[in-house]
Amino acid sequence: MKKLDLLYEGKAKKVYKTDMEDRCIVEYKDDATAFNGLKKGTIIGKGVVNNKVSNHLFGLLERSGIDTHYIEEISDRETIVKKVEIIPVEVIVRNIAAGSLSKRLGIPEGTVLKRTVLEFCYKNDDLGDPMVNEYHIYAMDLAIPEEIKTISQMAFKVNDLLRDYLKDLKIDLIDFKLEFGRFKGGIVLADEISPDTCRFWDSTTGEKLDKDRFRRDLGNVEEAYQEILNRLMGAK
Ligand code: TMP
Ligand code: ASP
């Protein structure tokens, strides 16, 4: 497959057209941002780790019946994916309080939530991805109720599958962000699942093994990303 023009460049990835109408190539960068782009930096090797981690997890989810955009990894940083129309709603799933939830609601980080929490954000960098509810989503026509129903069911299933899988690797899945796309009349899981988009805590020590190390200047950022990849690869 031929890699053609750059279609879109985001903060962490580039997306290219290909000679196939319904396929794109994503290329993962080492660029890191936080706080809606206010903090910028480089995490050496992040692109490679996120490409491999994301593909590994998407493969696992596909085998468990979740439709995803994943087709084939073609290099350390590049993957062929289905060309989807991204739904501009970010879906956040939370098992344990952390980050913006702790801040907003005054729940100490690490508190186990009595129920899994699902949040929606409007994917819009200019506005800083504000949280929205279903009324906003339908009022703004970001998605229709049937799509949100499917997306919510898929998000809970992804949570169950990933939580169980990671538990065996001694990783606690605290929370994560998903994006979905429209493809040939259906909904597929898109974007990435990586230490950029999840909170992973070591089950034994509680050590943070994700982008919070960059956001909060905790050090050993590269090492944490590599540790996640190593554990997944060890598991195969
Ligand atoms: P938050 O606590 O900052 O709202 O983040 C919740 C989860 O979503 C966390 O696992 C990190 C992920 N996330 C992204 O993937 N992209 C983002 O832009 C933000 C703010 C969070
Ligand atoms: N990716 C987002 C940004 O650049 C936020 C984050 O992951 O914390 O700003």
Side-chain angles (χ1 to χ4, degrees):
M1 187 176 304
K2 265 211 201 84
K3 189 172 174 182
L4 301 177
D5 302 348
L6 182 69
L7 202 60
Y8 170 81
E9 178 160 5
K11 287 180 284 210
K13 295 188 288 299
K14 293 179 182 177
V15 184
Y16 292 89
K17 272 191 184 170
T18 71
D19 52 358
M20 279 179 75
E21 188 61 36
D22 60 351
R23 297 282 184 267
C24 286
I25 291 175
V26 294
E27 184 185 311
Y28 286 76
K29 307 191 283 185
D30 285 352
D31 300 352
T33 62
F35 315 117
N36 201 29
L38 239 61
K39 181 183 170 96
K40 290 191 175 69
T42 303
I43 302 172
I44 296 165
K46 173 172 86 81
V48 175
V49 170
N50 284 2
N51 187 36
K52 291 175 186 296
V53 166
S54 197
N55 292 340
H56 182 83
L57 296 176
F58 274 75
L60 180 121
L61 294 171
E62 278 280 352
R63 291 192 293 280
S64 304
I66 301 279
D67 289 329
T68 79
H69 73 162
Y70 175 67
I71 302 283
E72 188 191 355
E73 187 171 299
I74 52 168
S75 79
D76 273 359
R77 289 178 185 274
E78 296 169 302
T79 295
I80 300 172
V81 297
K82 295 168 188 162
K83 187 177 183 190
V84 306
E85 180 197 345
I86 289 285
I87 295 171
V89 174
E90 298 192 349
V91 180
I92 295 172
V93 182
R94 301 181 185 269
N95 298 306
I96 293 178
S100 69
L101 178 104
S102 290
K103 206 169 167 188
R104 199 173 61 248
L105 300 179
I107 306 172
E109 283 211 328
T111 307
V112 178
L113 298 165
K114 281 210 167 149
R115 267 188 69 162
T116 299
V117 170
L118 200 64
E119 294 172 356
F120 300 114
C121 296
Y122 174 32
K123 186 175 159 68
N124 183 317
D125 281 340
D126 293 339
L127 300 174
D129 300 337
M131 195 189 289
V132 290
N133 65 28
E134 289 190 46
Y135 291 94
H136 300 108
I137 292 172
Y138 308 140
M140 295 171 73
D141 206 20
L142 305 178
I144 59 171
E146 192 192 344
E147 290 175 326
I148 292 299
K149 191 178 169 199
T150 302
I151 285 170
S152 302
Q153 286 169 349
M154 287 173 76
F156 282 119
K157 190 167 175 199
V158 167
N159 186 43
D160 290 342
L161 291 165
L162 292 186
R163 213 165 28 160
D164 284 353
Y165 176 73
L166 294 169
K167 195 176 178 196
D168 292 339
L169 306 180
K170 298 273 180 286
I171 299 166
D172 287 342
L173 180 60
I174 307 306
D175 57 31
F176 57 97
K177 185 264 297 177
L178 300 176
E179 294 184 25
F180 294 85
R182 302 183 180 103
F183 186 74
K184 297 190 173 170
I187 301 274
V188 301
L189 182 63
D191 194 50
E192 66 178 279
I193 303 180
S194 72
D196 268 13
T197 64
C198 303
R199 285 196 172 93
F200 296 132
W201 293 0
D202 182 284
S203 308
T204 316
T205 64
E207 191 188 358
K208 293 177 179 21
L209 298 172
D210 55 58
K211 195 175 166 188
D212 271 347
R213 301 205 74 82
F214 169 78
R215 295 188 189 101
R216 303 179 188 189
D217 297 318
L218 299 176
N220 293 328
V221 184
E222 282 85 1
E223 290 81 355
Y225 277 71
Q226 192 61 48
E227 176 63 22
I228 290 295
L229 180 61
N230 291 349
R231 290 201 200 178
L232 296 190
M233 293 300 112
K236 278 287 173 202

